[in-house]
Each structure stands twice: as structure tokens, then as C-alpha cells.
Amino acid sequence: MHAAVVRSFDAPPRFDTFPTPVATSADQILVDVLAAGLHPRVRSAANGTHYTSDGTLPMVPGIDAVGRTQQGELVYFIADDDDPGTMAEQAVVDRRRAVVLPDGTDAAAVAAAMNPGMSSWVALRRRIDFRPGGSVLVLGATGNAGQLAVRIATHLGAARVVAAGRDPERLSLLPGMGADETITLTDDPKEVADRLTKAAGDVDVVIDYLWGPVTEAAMPAVLTGRTERSKPLAWIQIGSMAGLELTLPSYLLRAANLQIMGSGQGSVTAAGILAELPALAAEITRGTLAVDPVAVPLSQVEQAWNAPTAPGRRIVLTPGE
């Protein structure tokens, strides 16, 4: 079959031939891939920097996709770590890691939105007991996942959503997506800290896509503004777009009820993640949580790999074209 193939972690994947995967258990089937999203998580796996990477080459990137079974069913599925990725003409699907989609579903739209939407959806539904009326700070709200996090928090009943990000142009779009207040993280550091203290001091949850120095500065600023320090604050680390590490002063853990946790592969069971997929897929299909897909033929993967996209858009590779 044809696939996007990574032969070096220092170069983008190329359109090449790769052995067609084979179903090896009763739970597995082979599907024709219709659309696979080019997510940041896919890029990090393809350059060997993701924490799940084992360094094995060659590899086919892609962690999820929409495909069609031989019986004509449309399915969204998450690839098993031990199988080739989804950026290929065909992929092996474990039925236990797939959900059936309604006929007429826009495959590209689902492929574009499920992965970035899943990050905050699963975090708010599985990592904490988030209830309607709560308040949320999205740190890193200007990426696709962050934008969806604003909309998802609102959809799940947040009474107040504060959006903080590093791209002023994209940040300006967020009030129309449910953000009650926005904070530009590239302003003067003291001004940023003051605004976080005032706007986000009493939030219940922080969804953090940035980490690194940004979080290092934001954490004490948010805690300084808390009216009641003993009120729990769930700080959910999802991404590390601003840095892989930070220095955490010990006093922050004593001075407030700060609960730091992650949300991703390992911190949530595969069964827990899969249980959330039908409801999320339904909202994407309805257009509630859509991301605008940019469909690109798989044969153009090398050119598409680092191509810029406008706010709210995501590249989706379509093997059938």
C-alpha cells in the first residue's frame, strides 16, 4: 500500500510504499482510510520527541482516522501503539478502539476535530469532577486544541471561561467562541501576571497546553488571586508548547490547595477515553465543536507537513484522492 513513511526523525515523512498491515486477532479488521488528521501529537511522534516514542524506524505516522470497513460502516478509530499509523491507504482497527459514525458524516471534519477536542473533553470529563457552573482558565487558548477547549468548557456548563494565549490575532476570535475574558501572554510580564491574578484567581480548573516558563509565571499569579486558598484548584497539564519543564517552588503546594495532574495516554485508561468518543463525535458532527479541515492528498504529505494553516483550520490527509 501507499503511506506516509518516516525513515529519519530529521526529515518529514514521504509518500512511499509500506507493507499492508494484517489483522491478527478477532477484534481487528482492516479498513480503508478516508481521512487522518495532522495533529501536533502526530508531528512529535514522527520526529521522535513524543514521550511514547521508542525510536523504531521506518514508521507510518498518524494516531487516529476515519475509515470505512468492508461492510460499508464509517468508523472513527484510534490506532493501537503496536500497529502502523493511520496516514496510509489502509489501517488495522481494533473494534474496541473505534466508534461507528452516522452515514453522511463529514470524514474530514471528524478527523480534524476529534484529537484536539479529545484533550480537553477527556480532561474535564475523566480527570476531575467538573460540574456546570464551574470556571476554567485555558492556558494556550490560541491553538486548535485550546480554541476547542474554550468551546468545550462552555458546552459542558462552565459559567466563566478565561482564555490566555500567545497569538493576539487568534485570541481576538475567542470571545465569539465562549471566552468571557482574554489575556495576551506576550504582553509585559508584570501586566500579564496582574491580569491573571484578577481574571483567573478564583477559577476551578486550569487546562494547560503550554507548561514551561509560561506556566512557571502563571501559577503563582493565579494562586495569588484566590479568595479562598483552600478551595481546590485542578491544574491539568495537557501540552508543553512553551517548554517541557518548569521550576515549581515548594511553597505553592503549601500556600494553596493546588492539585497538579496530567491528562493523556496513561493517566486515563484507554477504555475511559473510548467511552467519551461517541458523545464528542456527535457534537463534532452537529457542528458544535467543528474545526475547519484542509484536505490534502496523502501523496502531498511531504509538502503539507510543515505548511502553515489559518486559525481554526487543520490539515487532514486523504489517502483516497
Side-chain angles (χ1 to χ4, degrees):
M1 68 175 182
H2 286 99
V5 182
V6 177
R7 300 192 183 277
S8 168
F9 289 133
D10 298 322
R14 292 186 175 181
F15 186 66
D16 204 345
T17 56
F18 198 83
T20 302
V22 177
T24 57
S25 76
D27 294 310
Q28 291 184 330
I29 56 173
L30 190 67
V31 303
D32 294 325
V33 177
L34 303 181
L38 179 49
H39 316 301
R41 164 70 176 81
V42 175
R43 288 188 173 92
S44 64
N47 65 26
T49 62
H50 194 264
Y51 66 88
T52 62
S53 176
D54 63 5
T56 301
L57 291 175
M59 64 169 286
V60 174
I63 57 171
D64 66 344
V66 175
R68 192 170 298 280
T69 70
Q70 291 184 351
Q71 292 72 36
E73 285 182 312
L74 195 65
V75 295
Y76 168 80
F77 64 97
I78 300 173
D80 191 284
D81 291 340
D82 296 328
D83 292 324
T86 59
M87 292 184 169
E89 291 175 325
Q90 294 182 298
V92 165
V93 175
D94 187 326
R95 278 285 193 180
R96 297 167 297 182
R97 299 169 66 92
V99 293
V100 177
L101 301 172
D103 289 338
T105 295
D106 185 334
V110 172
M114 281 293 278
N115 175 264
M118 196 185 308
S119 63
S120 57
W121 182 280
V122 170
L124 291 173
R125 301 255 301 175
R126 289 281 165 170
R127 292 298 284 137
I128 60 172
D129 183 20
F130 182 73
R131 301 188 180 191
S135 54
V136 178
L137 166 64
V138 180
L139 200 59
T142 53
N144 279 333
Q147 288 182 354
L148 278 172
V150 171
R151 292 156 68 182
I152 285 170
T154 302
H155 175 74
L156 294 179
R160 177 173 169 78
V161 179
V162 179
R166 299 180 293 176
D167 186 327
E169 178 188 355
R170 296 187 180 205
L171 203 62
S172 68
L173 303 175
L174 294 179
M177 300 181 187
D180 297 285
E181 188 163 349
T182 61
I183 299 171
T184 305
L185 296 173
T186 52
D187 285 345
D188 174 76
K190 185 178 184 307
E191 182 180 341
V192 172
D194 288 345
R195 291 200 63 194
L196 284 169
T197 297
K198 294 174 183 176
D202 282 324
V203 298
D204 300 296
V205 185
V206 178
I207 297 175
D208 186 352
Y209 290 100
L210 297 178
W211 207 240
V214 175
T215 297
E216 195 171 302
M219 204 174 275
V222 171
L223 294 178
T224 297
R226 293 187 82 65
T227 304
E228 177 52 64
R229 294 284 186 92
S230 63
K231 178 185 176 183
L233 171 60
W235 199 291
I236 309 178
Q237 199 279 328
I238 298 178
S240 50
M241 298 302 292
L244 297 175
E245 300 176 350
L246 57 71
T247 298
L248 178 64
S250 60
Y251 81 88
L252 292 179
L253 299 176
R254 299 192 302 271
N257 191 354
L258 175 62
Q259 303 169 359
I260 302 174
M261 66 193 78
S263 185
Q265 287 176 263
S267 59
V268 183
T269 65
I273 293 173
L274 288 165
E276 296 298 337
L277 298 188
L280 177 57
E283 296 304 329
I284 293 169
T285 300
R286 291 189 189 103
T288 311
L289 305 172
V291 169
D292 189 10
V294 180
V296 176
L298 180 65
S299 59
Q300 297 178 20
V301 60
E302 190 173 3
Q303 301 92 314
W305 197 254
N306 294 312
T309 54
R313 310 197 80 190
R314 175 150 293 187
I315 291 174
V316 173
L317 297 175
T318 52
E321 297 181 8

